[in-house]
Amino acid sequence: MIKLLLAATNKAPLSDFTAFLEKNNDVELIWADTGETALTKISDTPVDLVVSDETLGDMTGLEFAAKLVTVNPMINCAVISPLSKGDFHEASEGLGLVQLPKNPGEEQATELIQHIKKIT
């Protein structure tokens, strides 16, 4: 089973993405509404994948990803971002992140789960 932590202050824009994940019997979905809450949960509970919204109540998704690397550099992480691929690559260089579009849906969830299954 894949343990996925989703860090998001506002769940509504992620409803299509999470609806698919919740239907998938191979995924356990854990929620955190701030970056600090997510970092605490990661310290307490091992997860396979973290998906961060573009902005959290206390930090941006990219700031969260940078902090995540200091807590556990082996956790796979995806960040929702409207940046162009080039700008996202530059902003996240060295963090090994996957970029998701704003309002990701079933297609992105499927690709992400398949990717995680290949590497775990």
Side-chain angles (χ1 to χ4, degrees):
M1 173 158 304
I2 296 169
K3 286 189 177 186
L4 188 154
L5 185 133
L6 184 56
T9 303
N10 184 4
K11 296 179 182 180
L14 304 174
S15 61
D16 291 343
F17 183 75
T18 57
F20 176 77
L21 293 172
E22 289 171 340
K23 284 191 271 185
N24 189 328
N25 292 331
D26 291 341
V27 176
E28 178 184 344
L29 192 58
I30 303 163
W31 285 93
D33 59 357
T34 67
E36 285 302 322
T37 301
L39 292 169
T40 299
K41 286 187 179 197
I42 290 163
S43 296
D44 297 338
T45 306
V47 298
D48 301 300
L49 172 65
V50 176
V51 175
S52 174
D53 200 354
E54 174 186 4
T55 57
L56 304 167
D58 53 354
M59 63 187 80
T60 68
L62 289 172
E63 290 169 336
F64 167 75
K67 289 183 179 190
L68 175 64
V69 169
T70 65
V71 173
N72 185 340
M74 300 307 292
I75 295 177
N76 298 291
C77 185
V79 176
I80 296 168
S81 175
L83 295 174
S84 70
K85 283 188 178 192
D87 288 344
F88 182 83
H89 176 75
E90 187 174 316
S92 67
E93 192 165 359
L95 297 176
L97 302 176
V98 171
Q99 181 182 15
L100 293 174
K102 287 187 77 72
N103 303 317
E106 184 175 330
E107 178 183 344
Q108 290 80 23
T110 301
E111 289 172 1
L112 203 52
I113 295 304
Q114 287 175 349
H115 177 72
I116 292 301
K117 284 182 177 180
K118 284 180 186 176
I119 61 175
T120 58

